[in-house]
Amino acid sequence: MSPFSRDTSKETAPAEMPGDAAAPTAATGSGEWFLPEDTRRDVARLFEKLTGPVVLEVYVSPDHNVPYNDYLAKFVRDLARLDARIEARFSDLSDETAKKRDVTFSPTLLLSPDAYAIRYLGAPLGEEVRTFMEILLRVSAGQSGLAEAAKKRLAALKDPRRVTVFVNPACPYCPGQVLNAFRCAIERPGLVAATCIDAAQHTQAATAHGVGSVPHTIIEDPDGSLAPLSILGLESEERFVDELTSMRVTPATAAGDEPGHAPGAAGKVEEVDVVVVGGGPAGLTAGMYAARGGLSAVVLEKSVVGGQVAVTPQVENYPGFATVPGARLMEMVAAQTRQYVPVVEGAGVDEVKIGRRIEVASGETTYLCRALILATGATWRKLGIPGEDRYFGRGVSACAACDGYLYKDAAVAVVGGGNTALTEALHLARLGASVTVLHRRDAFRAEKHLVDALTREGVDVVWNTVVEEVVGDETGVTAVRIKSVTDGSTRRMPVKALFVAAGYIPVTGLAQDIGLALDESGYIKVDRGLRTNIPRVYACGDVTGGVRQIVTAVGQGATAALSAFEDISHPYWRK
Ligand code: NAP
């Protein structure tokens, strides 16, 4: 496995470290390569896009985090060997340069520190390696890559900002938030300082900031009197810049977490045959099939590609893959789709207008299309109990792949009895957590294969039990109050985290806005061709209900795109 992707379920430290363990002292050192040959080839190809020099400063201490120090030093040394425009410098934490740069943690990585305030505390691993590569290219070009509106807002910034993003290498949402912070640091180098901290490598900082979920972002106004902002989750670039500049949390809109554009105020107009909303397995496949049929298409994803699958630790029932991390599977699907159509991440849809042409407003762009495919998926169902919202991000989580690592040595509970609950419970148990599954009935609805695995792992199950309250203090969750549905007795169960896996509810905000018919369970009503009640609008994947499997979502994505192709070529509503 290359350091570009990592299955963190079985590791406590970077495991892929060939060669000797000594930290290199010179950027041009010869000898064994650390990066495998295919990874070096990929990096060399990427480095063809370098436009200027980049300095990478690595700080380590022989007494702390040795495996991570070694990994980082060897990784950076290889990068410098691959391209002369990368200059690697290595220092000990006790050196004068460390003091000058105010570096106190081992390992720390600085990117072109004379020009920018961009640093990693902890070696960038897993998902963060790709962010690092992107930022390296942007530093090389001196271009933030932010949208014009964001640049304009940042241009008006007068006071300094310090941004810290806590991450976990397996979290698919973290890289997006790190990119938000680092891009702002590139755009306003004198004012914005950004740091990415791996919460598992720097547990002290994570504990001091009460990090119980990632990405967790803290924005500070170091010179002023404004209170720091503490933000959970991935934000759109626009929302992030808004909060960074105003030092105020942007109120959520009814449609979701986006700050709300003025629809129609979009700057750019693009014409395509098909707009697909949603970048999970259904949406990505729909985009690919539309393009293969000869239609122009775009896939818009408000967050990051992959949908629920991206946060599924292991997928074991997708044909062709005996077992594969969900994020990896979706990376492959997204890469294949991108060979055909643009897949735009962080592109929420603000408004859809159905007319002769369908107008889809997304940020600064309005798409004019002939067909719209909704693959908006589903979102986790809350329990609706006291303490659930209050401790969300401080022990309450709906993503074991993102947050599980923070509780790998703790007692945790998982609520639910379906495939998600058991997949999450197995992941947490394999990380080392002491897991109890709390289920409201006396039998699971999950696949037998998962039930058997849970038994083999020796995971405790408390049957016929519901969670009535999440209990905690200033440190986060300390316990859950549970109630037996058979005899009505209640008790407190001490846990550090509660993972909620009680099913999903369909995301139908857009569907309802445009008047799509829903079934009695709230899913979009579709026919066999995935057509909705509005001509040229289709729906696929979990938002249509049914068995909600990756393999069926993929099939539905293909069907919806083929129906769109058929209808654009021979419109059924004109027959
Ligand atoms: P699910 O199958 O709907 O199961 C939800 C579970 O939560 C059920 O056991 C349900 O209990 C319980 N529950 C619901 N509301 C509750 C509440 N208020 N309090 C306590 N418990 C509550 O949902 P899922 O497991 O998220 O799966 C969703 C879909 O994705 C399914 O089609 C599933 O097959 C698929 N999926 C597949 C995989 C895989 O194949 N590896 C992985 C994840 C998800 P009851 O059983 O009593 O109703």
Side-chain angles (χ1 to χ4, degrees):
M1 187 183 296
S2 98
F4 278 77
S5 52
R6 196 173 72 118
D7 171 9
T8 51
S9 63
K10 300 178 194 72
E11 298 172 27
T12 54
E16 58 287 345
M17 282 188 293
D20 67 76
T25 52
T28 52
S30 56
E32 292 278 300
W33 286 96
F34 169 61
L35 296 172
E37 195 179 341
D38 54 343
T39 308
R40 296 203 300 274
R41 252 198 315 271
D42 289 347
V43 174
R45 243 195 319 270
L46 201 71
F47 281 178
E48 286 167 13
K49 296 184 192 154
L50 283 168
T51 48
V54 179
V55 175
L56 299 178
E57 285 190 1
V58 175
Y59 294 85
V60 294
S61 151
D63 307 322
H64 290 106
N65 283 337
V66 170
Y68 296 106
N69 297 341
D70 289 347
Y71 161 82
L72 182 60
K74 288 174 178 175
F75 176 51
V76 168
R77 180 197 59 183
D78 275 7
L79 298 186
R81 286 173 72 188
L82 283 167
D83 196 297
R85 287 168 290 188
I86 306 289
E87 182 189 340
R89 299 175 187 160
F90 300 93
S91 303
D92 192 274
L93 218 52
S94 57
D95 292 351
E96 269 310 303
T97 38
K99 288 196 187 75
K100 188 180 119 201
R101 303 276 194 217
D102 195 22
V103 174
T104 55
F105 182 76
S106 172
T108 291
L109 172 64
L110 309 184
L111 276 85
S112 292
D114 290 327
Y116 301 108
I118 295 175
R119 63 179 61 193
Y120 286 90
L121 302 196
L125 295 170
E127 299 286 330
E128 289 318 322
V129 181
R130 276 180 296 145
T131 324
F132 166 73
M133 286 298 181
E134 173 164 352
I135 286 302
L136 190 147
L137 293 182
R138 296 206 176 280
V139 164
S140 146
Q143 300 285 339
S144 66
L146 289 169
E148 285 312 313
K151 286 182 181 175
K152 237 183 244 169
R153 281 216 70 158
L154 278 166
L157 182 67
K158 299 267 182 302
D159 303 314
R161 295 285 185 262
R162 190 163 53 217
V163 187
T164 308
V165 186
F166 286 92
V167 303
N168 171 349
C171 159
Y173 304 112
C174 293
Q177 192 72 349
V178 174
L179 278 179
N180 281 337
F182 284 176
R183 282 176 175 165
C184 291
I186 294 173
E187 187 64 28
R188 293 305 310 269
L191 288 181
V192 180
T195 302
C196 168
I197 302 184
D198 184 324
Q201 291 179 61
H202 201 338
T203 47
Q204 207 185 348
T207 309
H209 287 88
V211 174
S213 177
V214 290
H216 181 143
T217 306
I218 295 161
I219 303 178
E220 293 165 287
D221 163 33
D223 286 355
S225 52
L226 300 170
L229 294 188
S230 184
I231 299 158
L232 290 182
L234 169 63
E235 298 181 297
S236 67
E237 173 184 300
E238 187 188 11
R239 185 183 173 106
F240 181 86
V241 171
D242 199 42
E243 293 179 339
L244 178 91
T245 48
S246 70
M247 288 299 290
R248 276 195 306 273
V249 174
T250 310
T253 63
D257 65 353
E258 298 308 309
H261 304 276
K268 236 181 354 172
V269 175
E270 277 189 30
E271 293 192 25
V272 285
D273 292 325
V274 182
V275 170
V276 181
V277 184
L284 291 171
T285 309
M288 181 165 35
Y289 265 73
R292 287 182 63 88
L295 302 174
S296 60
V298 61
V299 178
L300 306 178
E301 164 54 54
K302 82 174 168 105
S303 175
V304 289
V305 293
Q308 288 165 45
V309 188
V311 294
T312 302
Q314 291 294 326
V315 173
E316 297 179 338
N317 55 6
Y318 192 74
F321 296 85
T323 176
V324 58
R328 180 88 53 78
L329 179 63
M330 293 319 299
E331 243 172 53
M332 288 190 276
V333 177
Q336 189 181 1
T337 302
R338 283 194 169 103
Q339 290 177 10
Y340 295 97
V341 293
V343 177
V344 192
E345 292 179 292
V349 171
D350 308 308
E351 189 176 37
V352 172
K353 287 185 195 156
I354 308 283
R356 194 175 63 78
R357 271 195 298 166
I358 300 172
E359 280 184 35
V360 180
S362 172
E364 296 178 355
T365 308
T366 295
Y367 296 92
L368 299 179
C369 62
R370 301 159 82 187
L372 173 69
I373 299 179
L374 292 183
T376 45
T379 186
W380 64 292
R381 178 188 284 126
K382 287 185 176 185
L383 298 172
I385 54 172
E388 187 181 28
D389 284 341
R390 180 163 180 205
Y391 293 107
F392 184 77
R394 295 193 296 143
V396 176
S397 171
C399 179
C402 309
D403 303 332
Y405 205 82
L406 300 166
Y407 305 100
K408 67 182 171 53
D409 304 315
V412 303
V414 177
V415 190
N419 281 342
T420 304
L422 269 59
T423 304
E424 304 261 283
L426 284 166
H427 175 68
L428 291 161
R430 287 166 185 162
L431 283 174
S434 167
V435 185
T436 304
V437 175
L438 305 170
H439 185 36
R440 65 182 179 182
R441 287 190 296 125
D442 61 358
F444 288 130
R445 66 167 62 208
E447 290 172 356
K448 183 173 182 307
H449 182 83
L450 289 168
V451 177
D452 291 347
L454 198 78
T455 310
R456 271 198 310 279
E457 290 284 337
V459 172
D460 288 337
V461 181
V462 181
W463 302 104
N464 301 310
T465 295
V466 290
V467 183
E468 286 201 325
E469 184 183 359
V470 182
V471 182
D473 59 21
E474 65 289 345
T475 64
V477 171
T478 54
V480 285
R481 191 160 53 79
I482 57 176
K483 179 179 172 186
S484 160
V485 295
T486 43
D487 62 14
S489 60
T490 60
R491 69 180 167 99
R492 261 168 90 105
M493 192 174 107
V495 288
K496 288 300 287 173
L498 176 72
F499 288 86
V500 181
Y504 286 86
I505 49 173
V507 177
T508 53
L510 272 184
Q512 293 188 57
D513 286 350
I514 59 177
L516 290 191
L518 307 182
D519 67 18
E520 59 285 353
S521 304
Y523 294 96
I524 299 177
K525 262 191 189 171
V526 284
D527 68 9
R528 280 169 62 107
L530 284 317
R531 296 178 177 92
T532 67
N533 58 311
I534 297 182
R536 297 172 295 143
V537 180
Y538 311 79
C540 53
D542 281 6
V543 74
T544 65
V547 293
R548 294 168 293 158
Q549 303 293 304
I550 309 169
V551 67
T552 52
V554 160
Q556 286 195 341
T559 305
L562 292 172
S563 294
F565 175 75
E566 171 67 17
D567 296 343
I568 285 173
S569 318
H570 316 283
Y572 68 91
W573 56 90
R574 288 204 194 128
K575 280 176 197 162

